[in-house]
Amino acid sequence: MGNAACLYFWLTTAMSPIISLYLNLLKPRHLKVEEVSHEELPQTYELKTLKLGNERLGFSRLPRPEGPLIWFHGVSLGEAMEALPMIKKCLEDRLSVNILMTTVTVSAFSVLLRSLPEGVICQFAPVDTPAAVDRFLTYWHPSVAIFMESELWPNLILATSSRRIPLALLNAKMSVVSYRRWSLEPVKGLAKEIISKFDLITPVNNMEAVRYQNLGARPHQVHFGGNLKYTSGAMDFSVVDGPVYHGLGKQMHGRQKIWLAASIHPGEEKVVVLVHQRLKVLFPDVLTVIVPRHPERGADIKHDTLEAMARRLGRSTTELGCQVSRRSLNEPLTVSTEVYIADTLGELAIFYHLVDVAFVGGSLIEGLNGHNVAEPASAGCAVITGIYVGHFQDMIAQMQTYSPLSVEQVSGEDELFDCVRKLFEDSRCRAERREAALAASNAAAAGRFHYGSSGLV
């Protein structure tokens, strides 16, 4: 172990009591899965509350099954969903294998409970302290460890490698800021040590490959497998919850002009509402569905939307209450609903399958980095996104190489309005855009899925 790694080890050891105290003092987290029956979950959990502190310290409430165990880790929802197609493929090809999926965020955990195949174990990952990591690895003793995107935790990686557990980093990426930080002395020595422990690194593009090689990845470690976010987008229709899908479909029945604003960040909903108001002039029955990136913002979004509508119509917000509905409160979606706020977790795929036109947010304001456009494309939506998309620009360029009509980028309110208006007015154009997006997503996903699912374990 190098000097930097030793220093990190002892610093995190010294901090362990404070971290443990903090995690033990955390209140039980309430997960919004009470409505899901035990039969629908891949394993039995207490649905009312979850004391995540113990799992973050390396403990588990679930038994370790006998036999080989493949460990997948995704820090949050996006990374975790990338692993789902590979998990399914592993289970198809190796019926006797056990799979453990770990994550860090409560939102990802809630969605994974409903999305993972039957028998897959799901729990929170340990914090990067020596004691928590040792406790976790001793209990689970995985046969293979597969991390998604950019999980470079020194204690976790070095301890896993020291136990001769093969390590893979899939869809590897690193922001410019992170790269600069890891390039500083003496941190660069630590980066080289932990990156060298991976048996396989699959970067999303050439630039990411160069960054990892500059930080110490050796040529034999790096193999190109493309962007696995294509495979997370290419989920089959079984991911969509049948009763929920059909229930929402009935509520939307008869509405001809529906568009979805997905993964919306603070500030973007104002643009979406302005576009909605302009569309309302041309299409009186327009329905705008907003899926916020952070569901807890649902109340604020409803308040701001009602305020904007009241100013436009010269009426009070109480008079307009029924025209804006929140899904988390089970408020009805009726013929008079103009804006439907889907402030819930794990239902975005359902809405992608219910609409023809989808705008992918996190992309209209400078400093944001976009979201996965392959997901709406794989559902057959005409796809729109903004120009601030970070790493996703490579995905967009590749999809546009397959078909220039697959994704359209807009810079703000006027271009977003014009794009949605044209898709509403021209059914032929809308059909062509939807077909192009689906074809581009399927073409891009085919090779990546085969490589990712069959070449690792």
Side-chain angles (χ1 to χ4, degrees):
M1 187 181 293
N3 292 335
C6 284
L7 178 61
Y8 181 86
F9 178 91
W10 289 114
L11 283 174
T12 50
T13 298
M15 293 174 60
S16 293
I18 299 173
I19 295 172
S20 297
L21 178 62
Y22 170 75
L23 290 172
N24 281 318
L25 290 176
L26 284 178
K27 293 181 179 179
R29 299 298 300 268
H30 292 264
L31 299 183
K32 296 180 179 180
V33 291
E34 291 89 344
E35 71 279 4
V36 183
S37 67
H38 284 276
E39 291 75 14
E40 293 176 307
L41 292 177
Q43 60 274 316
T44 300
Y45 277 93
E46 297 176 10
L47 296 183
K48 296 294 182 182
T49 61
L50 178 71
K51 183 74 172 178
L52 64 87
N54 286 338
E55 293 194 359
R56 295 288 277 145
L57 291 173
F59 295 100
S60 178
R61 296 172 298 141
L62 302 172
R64 200 284 192 198
E66 295 184 2
L69 183 142
I70 301 173
W71 169 29
F72 286 87
H73 173 67
V75 64
S76 60
L77 183 57
E79 293 85 350
M81 296 303 285
E82 291 171 20
L84 278 180
M86 294 184 59
I87 288 173
K88 292 183 177 181
K89 185 63 175 177
C90 287
L91 292 173
E92 290 174 4
D93 293 348
R94 298 167 176 80
L95 298 179
S96 61
V97 76
N98 302 296
I99 293 181
L100 168 68
M101 179 80 218
T102 61
T103 188
V104 171
T105 68
V106 174
S107 59
F109 184 86
S110 302
V111 174
L112 286 170
L113 284 181
R114 291 182 290 183
S115 303
L116 286 169
E118 182 179 357
V120 174
I121 303 164
C122 181
Q123 79 159 54
F124 288 93
V127 292
D128 201 43
T129 62
V133 168
D134 180 73
R135 194 176 291 121
F136 175 88
L137 292 175
T138 299
Y139 184 82
W140 290 109
H141 190 63
S143 306
V144 179
I146 301 174
F147 297 170
M148 309 305 296
E149 292 202 5
S150 57
E151 287 299 277
L152 300 181
W153 293 103
N155 287 328
L156 187 61
I157 293 169
L158 294 175
T160 303
S161 176
S162 71
R163 295 175 184 235
R164 297 184 178 179
I165 299 169
L167 277 158
L169 181 63
L170 305 188
N171 234 37
K173 60 177 63 174
M174 185 178 294
S175 68
V176 174
V177 173
S178 294
Y179 175 68
R180 288 172 180 167
R181 289 173 179 169
W182 282 113
S183 298
L184 297 173
E185 297 291 350
V187 180
K188 187 173 184 179
L190 177 59
K192 182 176 181 179
E193 185 170 359
I194 61 179
I195 288 174
S196 68
K197 301 302 182 184
F198 286 100
D199 298 275
L200 173 67
I201 298 173
T202 63
V204 296
N205 55 40
N206 288 330
M207 180 60 71
E208 303 299 338
V210 170
R211 288 173 181 164
Y212 275 92
Q213 288 178 323
N214 286 343
L215 291 175
R218 292 159 294 184
H220 73 270
Q221 292 177 271
V222 180
H223 297 269
F224 287 95
N227 194 333
L228 289 176
K229 283 193 180 289
Y230 286 118
T231 65
S232 66
M235 296 286 187
D236 60 15
F237 194 72
S238 64
V239 172
V240 177
D241 185 87
V244 175
Y245 170 82
H246 292 295
L248 285 167
K250 288 181 180 179
Q251 294 179 67
M252 293 181 179
H253 181 70
R255 304 293 288 268
Q256 300 299 315
K257 309 299 181 184
I258 306 175
W259 71 295
L260 171 68
S263 299
I264 298 302
H265 286 243
E268 291 186 312
E269 69 273 4
K270 296 179 181 179
V271 177
V272 171
V273 172
L274 288 172
V275 170
H276 168 81
Q277 292 177 328
R278 294 171 67 178
L279 290 170
K280 179 74 175 176
V281 175
L282 300 175
F283 312 102
D285 67 335
V286 64
L287 171 63
T288 298
V289 180
I290 299 176
V291 181
R293 180 63 175 173
H294 304 290
E296 63 271 16
R297 296 186 56 248
D300 291 337
I301 294 174
K302 179 173 181 176
H303 175 270
D304 293 345
T305 301
L306 284 171
E307 289 283 347
M309 293 171 62
R311 286 194 299 270
R312 173 174 63 91
L313 298 173
R315 298 165 62 186
S316 68
T317 57
T318 54
E319 294 179 274
L320 300 173
C322 64
Q323 296 182 17
V324 181
S325 300
R326 288 178 59 196
R327 178 157 175 74
S328 64
L329 300 180
N330 293 319
E331 294 176 345
L333 197 172
T334 67
V335 291
S336 63
T337 303
E338 290 189 29
V339 178
Y340 189 63
I341 302 169
D343 51 346
T344 52
L345 288 169
E347 294 186 330
L348 182 56
I350 295 175
F351 286 98
Y352 279 145
H353 281 88
L354 285 168
V355 303
D356 293 348
V357 179
F359 166 74
V360 181
S363 59
L364 283 179
I365 300 173
E366 188 172 2
L368 298 177
N369 291 298
H371 291 290
N372 191 354
V373 295
E375 292 179 3
S378 70
C381 296
V383 182
I384 313 165
T385 193
I387 59 175
Y388 302 108
V389 292
H391 290 288
F392 288 101
Q393 190 61 54
D394 292 330
M395 172 184 282
I396 292 169
Q398 189 165 11
M399 290 178 65
Q400 289 175 336
T401 298
Y402 285 110
S403 173
L405 297 177
S406 58
V407 183
E408 183 168 350
Q409 291 183 268
V410 297
S411 62
E413 176 195 337
D414 290 340
E415 291 186 5
L416 179 57
F417 165 73
D418 287 338
C419 187
V420 178
R421 176 189 56 77
K422 182 177 181 181
L423 290 169
F424 278 176
E425 289 177 341
D426 191 337
S427 59
R428 181 176 179 180
C429 172
R430 185 169 67 250
E432 290 175 348
R433 289 280 308 280
R434 295 181 66 197
E435 183 179 348
L438 180 60
S441 175
N442 288 342
R448 276 84 186 158
F449 184 80
H450 173 77
Y451 177 88
S453 60
S454 62
L456 289 170
V457 296

